């Protein structure tokens, strides 16, 4: 048997295989739940109820989805140009560090001025973090998968150093944490008394901006062309290296905004456990969305809902919450397979 490219996938094929991927994910997760002695239908209902069964649950899902939208967009932008950015975690933390440096009193300005400045410095910190590996790629041909992945660990150690040194809160009773950002630097809550903050609106706006770049601007066309065939793009007169660096700046900046949203919108300060893996989960979100910026929003809410719902389900059904990670990983593998069969058909010799 062999794989044969489809000239133009039909709408039916485009919708069929992703639907089968979701179905396969549910079936596989149901089998695992059955092994634990629980009823799969009851467990899935509890997951849904825990993620969207009340206003509180749904707002918690949106809150968890906010950094995933940013990191998902970061991965989608980079992957579109075949820049394999695995360092979303590092860029997120550097955005958080920049937020702490400028948002804990260094600039005691009113919120309408300070918050936009924090947006710029957080995005710039994330962008510069990815710019290094991108430069090594275009100048020396260094594999960015390796450099961005290893940079995650370097940045985590750097943040640990800061938390035990220059940025340590003297009033923190010895805990490795920073001072809280001042009130003027905090993102406002969307609903009084709830955790959902203005960072969610910023994430939605970022998705729209990326969509506009992809569909209405020359940079989006250039990134797509470089992603399809960099040699052909260079032959057509495109400056591939410059486009790659621009892509890195945009991708890293989006991931840096995830750090801002978590610090200024939710946590208030920086700790070493700020991110439970948002940078890595963003890759899953981007792939589930097939790299579409508006699809990233839906995929991020889906992934966040699984994690939030699984936490609630675990308390009610006594099923390990790790089933959420299995579901997300299975969904990724199934969606990648579905994407392959959308573009190729299987032929028997």
């Amino acid at each position: 048997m062999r794989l044969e490219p489809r000239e133009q996938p039909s709408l039916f094929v485009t919708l069929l295989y992703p639907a089968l991927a979701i179905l396969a994910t549910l079936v596989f997760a149901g089998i695992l739940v059955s092994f634990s002695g629980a009823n799969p239908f009851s467990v899935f209902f509890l997951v849904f109820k825990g993620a969207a069964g009340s206003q509180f649950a749904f707002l918690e899902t949106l809150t968890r989805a906010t950094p995933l939208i940013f990191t998902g967009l970061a991965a989608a932008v980079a992957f579109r140009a075949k820049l394999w950015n695995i360092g979303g975690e590092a860029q997120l933390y550097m955005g958080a560090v920049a937020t702490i440096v400028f948002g804990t009193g260094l600039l005691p300005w009113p919120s309408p001025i300070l918050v936009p400045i924090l947006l710029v410095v957080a995005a710039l910190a994330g962008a510069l973090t990815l710019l290094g590996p991108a430069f090594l790629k275009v100048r020396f041909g260094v594999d960015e998968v390796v450099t961005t992945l290893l940079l995650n660990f370097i940045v985590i150690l750097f943040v640990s150093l800061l938390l035990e040194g220059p940025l340590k809160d003297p009033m923190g009773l010895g805990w490795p944490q920073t001072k809280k950002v001042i009130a003027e630097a905090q993102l406002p809550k969307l609903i009084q008394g709830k955790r959902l903050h203005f960072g969610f609106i910023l994430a939605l706006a970022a998705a729209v901006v990326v969509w506009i770049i992809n569909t209405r601007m020359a940079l989006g066309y250039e990134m797509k062309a470089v992603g399809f065939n960099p040699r052909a793009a260079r032959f057509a007169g495109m400056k591939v290296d410059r486009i790659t660096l621009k892509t890195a700046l945009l991708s890293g900046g989006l991931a840096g905004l995830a750090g801002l949203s978590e610090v200024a919108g939710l946590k208030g300060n920086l700790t070493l456990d700020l991110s439970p893996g948002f940078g890595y989960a963003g890759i899953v979100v981007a792939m589930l969305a097939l790299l579409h910026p508006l699809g990233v929003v839906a995929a991020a809410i889906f992934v966040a809902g699984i994690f939030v719902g699984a936490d609630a389900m675990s308390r009610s059904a006594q099923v390990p919450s790790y089933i959420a990670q299995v579901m997300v990983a299975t969904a990724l593998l199934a969606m990648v397979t579905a994407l392959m069969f959308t573009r190729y058909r299987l032929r028997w010799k």
Side-chain angles (χ1 to χ4, degrees), residues 48 57 67 71 76 138 151 181 189 207 231 252 255 296 305 313 342:
F48 174 79
T71 56
V138 301
L151 197 57
V181 295
K189 302 299 182 184
R231 296 178 63 183
V296 163
M313 173 274 298
T342 300

Side-chain angles (χ1 to χ4, degrees), residues 131 219 222-223 241-251:
L131 185 61
L219 177 60
E222 290 170 343
M223 291 190 298
D241 292 350
R242 183 177 298 181
I243 295 169
T244 300
L245 295 178
K246 289 180 180 179
T247 303
L249 290 174
L250 178 58
S251 175

Side-chain angles (χ1 to χ4, degrees), residues 88 99 112 287:
T99 303
M287 296 304 296

Side-chain angles (χ1 to χ4, degrees), residues 12-13 25 30 44-45 73 96 103 112 213 231 241 251 295 298 300 326 336:
F12 175 74
V13 169
T25 300
F44 291 151
F45 174 76
L73 289 172
I213 291 174
R231 296 178 63 183
D241 292 350
S251 175
V326 174
V336 170

Side-chain angles (χ1 to χ4, degrees), residues 43 61 94 113 165 168 186 221 224 266 270 283 287 330:
V43 167
T61 297
M94 291 306 295
I113 299 176
K168 187 173 184 179
Q186 296 176 7
Y221 171 77
K224 184 177 181 180
L266 191 61
L270 173 59
I283 299 174
M287 296 304 296
T330 305

